[in-house]
Amino acid sequence: MMVLKTAPILVYGGVNNNKNNTPDSKLGVSGFVFCRRPSFFNFKVQRDWECLSQRAITHMKDEIPSATTQITPAGGFYRDLNSLPKPLSAADFSAATSNGKEVHVAYQGVPGAYSEAAALKAYPNCETVPCDLYEAAFKAVELWIVDKAVLPIENSVGGSIHRNYDLLLRHRLHIVGEVQLVVNHCLLGLRGVRKNELKRVLSHPQALDQCETTLNELGLTRVSVDDTAYAAQIVASEGVRETGAVASVRAAEIYGLDVLAERIQDESDNITRFLILAREPIIPGTDKPYTTSIVFSLEEGPGILFKALAVFALRDINLSKIESRPQKMRPLRVVDDSNWANATYFDYLFYIDFEASMAEPRAQSALGHLQEFAKFI
């Protein structure tokens, strides 16, 4: 096995099997991990690296919602909006702690958000903790206020959520799982309101964009708010019959709204990937097929990206995703590539998913080879 002389390594790993032979396989998640280094923004080559953790678990398919959903009175859900848990902000961190045996899971948004549904899918008996910002969820885990955080990383329609990629680099958390959630956008209104009575609709900008065809057909004015569930909360609290919301069935149940139309998104196959973050990693194995993800930047030179990708092909390691993003810390690179003047280019981070466990010698060898071209891994 090759001994690596690497820069800080950032990676996750997840399994691709269909067997339900582990306790975690019932969660519908696939495992991930980020290594923890003294500083993710130290681009100098380090003399050692930490072994990364992964776990073997399986995906659980979402049930496809029926064409219509009957909403019953709030019942077991919140009747009084003032009784809903308030989202955590940075000012709340000194006052809260996570005690006891129940798993506490942070998410961004308010009760009824899709992120909360993802947290409950991963941990059905957990106590969910709403946070006002993505960064607040990261900090809640770091400061032991909660045990886990579930945050979106990619949507099949809207693409990657780059803010959370940036936060993964900034915070010292490990990715220990993944959950995929089928998005069912619904048109919600006050009790007794028909959809042709609506004149405006509230929701997150991405949800509004994903339902453009239906909303245009209804002639509704679109109003952007921070979260789909928050839109439902506003409709319920203000009580304006002409105002509706695009949100989930669960949001309708929590805030006592009617579902006027279901699955109104333009693309029926609308799925969001969520990452599960924790303070501690999980040890990788070789007994199952795993997926590992890394992020790296490259030195300048002709064919350098080809050489970086070839280290995986040479070892029969399949790549399942590649994505590039300009570096925020140093967005421009100056290159003397002409006889007349220096040229400036964007300096990129490359995100890659490959199908191998970090416990396998071939994966470690590939990363060792990649060190020859990478400034940061």
Side-chain angles (χ1 to χ4, degrees):
M1 181 173 65
M2 180 175 291
V3 177
L4 304 185
K5 300 185 296 180
T6 75
I9 293 180
L10 179 62
V11 54
Y12 73 74
V15 70
N16 293 325
N17 73 27
N18 294 318
K19 296 180 181 179
N20 296 322
N21 55 359
T22 65
D24 292 320
S25 68
K26 299 178 181 179
L27 301 182
V29 295
S30 71
F32 288 81
V33 145
F34 275 80
C35 83
R36 178 158 54 185
R37 297 293 305 177
S39 172
F40 282 128
F41 293 109
N42 180 2
F43 291 153
K44 295 182 180 179
V45 175
Q46 305 294 320
R47 294 300 178 184
D48 62 296
W49 63 286
E50 291 186 23
C51 185
L52 303 165
S53 304
Q54 303 161 310
R55 67 172 172 179
I57 42 189
T58 63
H59 292 288
M60 179 175 66
K61 293 183 179 179
D62 291 275
E63 294 182 1
I64 302 300
S66 58
T68 59
T69 300
Q70 297 296 323
I71 300 301
T72 57
F77 294 91
Y78 301 101
R79 297 172 183 269
D80 182 3
L81 295 183
N82 292 325
S83 68
L84 290 169
K86 299 299 186 292
L88 286 177
S89 64
D92 301 316
F93 290 154
S94 61
T97 58
S98 177
N99 297 316
K101 297 181 179 179
E102 188 175 45
V103 177
H104 291 74
V105 182
Y107 66 94
Q108 188 275 327
V110 299
Y114 289 110
S115 292
E116 185 190 36
L120 292 170
K121 181 180 178 183
Y123 300 98
N125 298 317
C126 73
E127 178 72 23
T128 56
V129 180
C131 297
D132 60 349
L133 300 171
Y134 291 133
E135 189 161 17
F138 277 84
K139 289 181 178 179
V141 179
E142 288 179 324
L143 298 176
W144 294 75
I145 296 169
V146 298
D147 305 296
K148 304 281 194 302
V150 173
L151 296 169
I153 197 66
E154 185 178 28
N155 177 262
S156 60
V157 177
S160 297
I161 300 171
H162 292 128
R163 175 59 178 165
N164 283 335
Y165 276 112
D166 295 339
L167 291 172
L168 286 169
L169 286 171
R170 188 177 302 171
H171 292 270
R172 291 183 169 187
L173 294 181
H174 298 264
I175 302 179
V176 297
E178 175 188 315
V179 60
Q180 297 182 1
L181 187 74
V182 173
V183 176
N184 175 22
H185 286 315
C186 302
L187 182 62
L188 311 183
L190 295 173
R191 292 285 172 85
V193 171
R194 293 174 296 180
K195 63 182 179 181
N196 58 7
E197 297 179 55
L198 298 179
K199 293 185 178 180
R200 68 189 64 85
V201 62
L202 312 179
S203 196
H204 186 276
Q206 190 175 84
L208 294 173
D209 289 342
Q210 292 176 0
C211 303
E212 183 176 10
T213 300
T214 299
L215 300 181
N216 285 343
E217 289 174 354
L218 294 173
L220 300 178
T221 300
R222 288 172 277 182
V223 180
S224 298
V225 296
D226 292 339
D227 181 69
T228 56
Y230 181 53
Q233 188 181 90
I234 292 173
V235 171
S237 61
E238 293 186 351
V240 178
R241 292 179 62 85
E242 296 177 344
T243 303
V246 174
S248 65
V249 171
R250 177 175 167 80
E253 294 171 336
I254 290 175
Y255 300 108
L257 301 176
D258 280 350
V259 175
L260 308 181
E262 207 172 337
R263 298 187 66 78
I264 64 171
Q265 61 266 24
D266 296 344
E267 302 290 337
S268 58
D269 294 329
N270 189 335
I271 300 172
T272 300
R273 272 202 317 136
F274 294 82
L275 300 182
I276 303 172
L277 308 178
R279 290 179 293 274
E280 299 298 330
I282 294 175
I283 305 302
T286 58
D287 57 329
K288 301 273 193 289
Y290 285 83
T291 296
T292 302
S293 180
I294 61 172
V295 56
F296 59 90
S297 63
L298 294 171
E299 299 287 355
E300 183 62 33
I304 194 69
L305 181 57
F306 167 79
K307 294 176 183 178
L309 300 182
V311 306
F312 301 99
L314 290 172
R315 294 162 179 86
D316 293 323
I317 298 176
N318 185 50
L319 301 182
S320 56
K321 177 181 178 180
I322 179 170
E323 181 174 331
S324 62
R325 176 159 168 75
Q327 287 199 49
K328 284 193 171 184
M329 299 297 291
R330 190 182 63 182
L332 290 179
R333 174 185 295 178
V334 179
V335 180
D336 186 5
D337 64 350
S338 71
N339 295 326
W340 302 101
N342 292 336
T344 58
Y345 301 97
F346 268 7
D347 204 5
Y348 286 96
L349 290 173
F350 296 94
Y351 295 87
I352 284 181
D353 291 357
F354 63 86
E355 296 175 358
S357 167
M358 277 302 300
E360 295 181 59
R362 62 174 183 155
Q364 298 180 24
S365 176
L367 292 186
H369 194 175
L370 183 60
Q371 288 292 307
E372 298 176 15
F373 320 110
K375 297 184 300 180
F376 164 74
I377 300 180

